[in-house]
Amino acid sequence: MGALEIRRRIAAKEISCRELVEEALQKIAATDPGPDGIQAFRHVSAETALARADALDRLPKGDDALPLHGLPIALKDNLCTKGIPTTCGSRILENYIPPYDAHVVECLERAGAVVIGKTNMDEFAMGSSTENSAYEKTKNPRDPARVPGGSSGGSAAAVAAGYVELALGSDTGGSIRQPAAFCGVVGLKPTYGLVSRWGLVAFASSLDQIGPLASDVTGAAMLLDAIAPHDARDATCIPRERPLYTRALGEKPTALRVGLVDAGAREASPTADAVDRAAQALESRGHRIRKIALPHLQYGIPAYYLIAPSEASSNLARFDGVRYGHRTASPADMLDLYMRSRGEHPGGFGPEVKRRILLGTFALSRGYYDAYYLKAQKIRALIRADYEHAFQEVDVILTPTTPEPPFRFGERSSNPLAMYLSDYFTVGANLAGLPAISVPAGSGPLPTGLQITAPSLAETRLLQAARLIEEIGAGAA
Ligand code: GLN
């Protein structure tokens, strides 16, 4: 139905918030739990959601002040929710209940949304398949033998399974867009600094952004409107007025200049067809297609996998068994407390998180800093310059979201490098701080995504272009 239509029915009192929430909870109870279920949710807050729905139902008819009035929403489990467990997919936070709400959660409250629960994710958002979760194995609702993508796999699956129209994820190197592509839904990573990260458990602070996953582009715009208000508690949040993205969606972009990347060896990827078809469809409607070069994008993966782990190794130092989460039973001394709380199984960090901490600590250490971390930062600057150059000639850039359609469980999990390559097309936007969106495309039996990237703070243009592609069904054969 889409979030907008549901919102209309609620406002017209054709359905009540309670009915809507009950329906979502029933669907979840019927198909989500257990090893054969989708297992999108880590935690479902049925009682609070129903109480909130009742409170919203008591508001006067047609109250337009609440843009997300009564809409059930799922939250990735790295967003702090007061009184609701927030595990980050990690054993180390198994019993953590935050004493406060993240900025985006406060925003949702103000917008009238109903938080249904918290969704599964790769541990500390490190991964591309949600297989790194220390908990359940989230299935791809489009094909349960395949992964939902990651790290926001639970949020993408919750939308694809029809439990909710809207969900929040976080994206450090592709974690909103890649699972959106794998599950056949829309996923948007905003410009770095558009959405406050206050209350998002940090992975790599210079790359992390919170953003919407939705069943359609309009839903993504509605959710972005709700979470974008400026917040001074995140010093990187850009103090500038935000446009109303849903309003901008009503306007059609005239003659867009669309850039296609000459992707070299990657051009033959199975997802490239969808880009060609979309480009043709756009061209036949009067938009202009241009080839552009992003010559340093090929170094995106190595740069990202040095910068992100470096920042993570520093951010994750706070999980030391003293203030948060798991603490080992009877430590011999302080050092032993740190080492065993973080390292022991079960209770401590999982293998991928340990790998990242080791990688990051190494890259930042004396004697290696210049060769690894600093060099990666130089590549980051070159990638940013590539985009700036390209955006002098085009308005948006069109690429596949992922090199391949969703893979099967276990297919990549034993080979970290193969897993890292899933992020080939997505890390660029994070390294350059740009907004990017994945919209469903492809005609095969498996979902794939088209990625549109726009200049900094050009979310309006990004959403308009995404809506255009959605409307003309570009990418579908
Ligand atoms: N797959 C990437 C990683 O493992 C990106 C994760 C993310 O965006 N949170 O780091």
Side-chain angles (χ1 to χ4, degrees):
M1 216 189 285
L4 187 63
E5 173 59 14
I6 294 182
R7 167 75 184 73
R8 191 197 62 74
R9 291 187 189 189
I10 292 256
K13 299 249 173 191
E14 287 171 27
I15 35 170
S16 68
C17 302
R18 175 171 263 270
E19 281 167 339
L20 203 57
V21 169
E22 273 176 351
E23 196 188 312
L25 291 172
Q26 275 160 15
K27 237 189 248 177
I28 293 167
T31 57
D32 200 58
D36 295 327
I38 298 294
Q39 297 192 300
F41 283 94
R42 287 249 52 245
H43 179 89
V44 178
S45 2
E47 269 171 44
T48 19
L50 286 169
R52 169 121 168 105
D54 287 340
L56 287 162
D57 278 333
R58 286 193 290 270
L59 294 176
K61 185 180 161 107
D63 186 351
D64 283 335
L66 301 176
L68 300 180
H69 192 159
L71 285 169
I73 186 162
L75 304 177
K76 187 174 182 177
D77 209 22
N78 58 355
L79 294 166
C80 285
T81 39
K82 188 175 179 174
I84 301 176
T86 298
T87 66
C88 290
S90 181
R91 289 284 168 199
I92 216 162
L93 287 177
E94 188 161 11
N95 300 311
Y96 178 62
I97 299 180
Y100 70 109
D101 278 327
H103 170 74
V104 291
V105 178
E106 293 174 350
C107 289
L108 292 174
E109 173 87 27
R110 251 177 267 136
V114 181
V115 173
I116 290 282
K118 307 293 292 289
T119 58
N120 198 24
M121 55 183 282
D122 286 300
E123 186 172 2
F124 285 103
M126 298 172 185
S128 308
S129 67
T130 312
E131 290 168 292
N132 292 337
S133 168
Y135 302 96
E136 38 297 84
K137 181 165 139 182
T138 303
K139 277 56 134 217
N140 188 324
R142 300 282 300 270
D143 178 350
R146 292 174 193 270
V147 303
S151 62
S152 314
S155 285
V159 175
Y163 301 146
V164 288
E165 302 286 336
L166 304 175
L168 283 181
S170 68
D171 191 313
T172 306
S175 279
I176 290 173
R177 293 159 285 156
Q178 189 256 15
F182 274 19
C183 292
V185 302
V186 174
L188 188 163
K189 181 204 88 80
T191 302
Y192 183 78
L194 187 77
V195 177
S196 167
R197 293 177 290 115
W198 197 80
L200 165 71
V201 179
F203 165 9
S205 309
S206 78
L207 301 160
D208 298 341
Q209 267 294 286
I210 302 166
L213 290 118
S215 53
D216 58 17
V217 174
T218 305
M222 289 166 71
L223 191 44
L224 187 62
D225 272 333
I227 61 171
H230 175 254
D231 170 36
R233 291 169 298 186
D234 171 0
T236 63
C237 194
I238 302 167
R240 202 197 268 196
E241 212 177 307
R242 275 75 169 146
L244 200 57
Y245 300 108
T246 34
R247 183 176 308 145
L249 264 189
E251 299 151 24
K252 283 220 178 345
T254 46
L256 277 176
R257 296 169 302 164
V258 180
L260 296 192
V261 186
D262 201 355
R266 292 254 144 209
E267 211 159 22
S269 70
T271 47
D273 281 1
V275 175
D276 293 339
R277 282 194 300 272
Q280 280 163 20
L282 288 169
E283 203 162 28
S284 70
R285 282 165 179 80
H287 303 281
R288 273 170 293 161
I289 307 296
R290 293 202 186 164
K291 284 267 181 211
I292 53 144
L294 295 172
H296 299 94
L297 196 61
Q298 57 178 313
Y299 307 115
I301 291 289
Y304 171 84
Y305 278 97
L306 284 166
I307 293 169
S310 296
E311 294 185 19
S313 70
S314 158
N315 273 328
L316 269 57
R318 75 191 65 179
F319 303 103
D320 55 7
V322 178
R323 293 194 60 186
Y324 309 94
H326 175 71
R327 180 184 297 176
T328 193
S330 35
D333 54 26
M334 196 67 182
L335 191 61
D336 193 44
L337 169 85
Y338 292 154
M339 303 224 314
R340 284 179 28 208
S341 298
R342 288 164 69 84
E344 71 189 2
H345 179 79
F349 291 130
E352 183 61 27
V353 177
K354 286 180 183 166
R355 181 181 296 122
R356 305 276 180 119
I357 293 173
L358 287 170
L359 259 172
T361 307
F362 180 79
L364 290 175
S365 58
R366 196 151 67 106
Y368 297 100
Y369 183 92
D370 289 7
Y372 296 105
Y373 182 74
L374 199 65
K375 195 165 189 179
Q377 291 290 13
K378 288 178 181 169
I379 294 173
R380 183 177 191 174
L382 289 171
I383 290 175
R384 201 180 287 140
D386 278 355
Y387 279 107
E388 268 166 30
H389 188 73
F391 283 128
Q392 285 170 6
E393 287 175 26
V394 296
D395 302 311
V396 292
I397 296 172
L398 196 62
T399 61
T401 306
T402 61
E404 275 142 341
F407 43 88
R408 291 175 191 280
F409 287 97
E411 221 176 284
R412 301 280 164 89
S413 43
S414 55
N415 182 348
L417 282 181
M419 188 72 89
Y420 296 172
L421 283 172
S422 305
D423 309 323
Y424 185 88
F425 291 111
T426 48
V427 293
N430 302 80
L431 290 167
L434 302 173
I437 191 169
S438 179
V439 283
S443 53
L446 294 173
T448 56
L450 277 177
Q451 177 178 246
I452 311 167
T453 308
S456 188
L457 293 173
E459 271 80 2
T460 296
R461 189 193 302 167
L462 186 74
L463 284 159
Q464 287 174 344
R467 181 85 188 84
L468 194 66
I469 287 195
E470 184 180 56
E471 242 168 37
I472 60 183

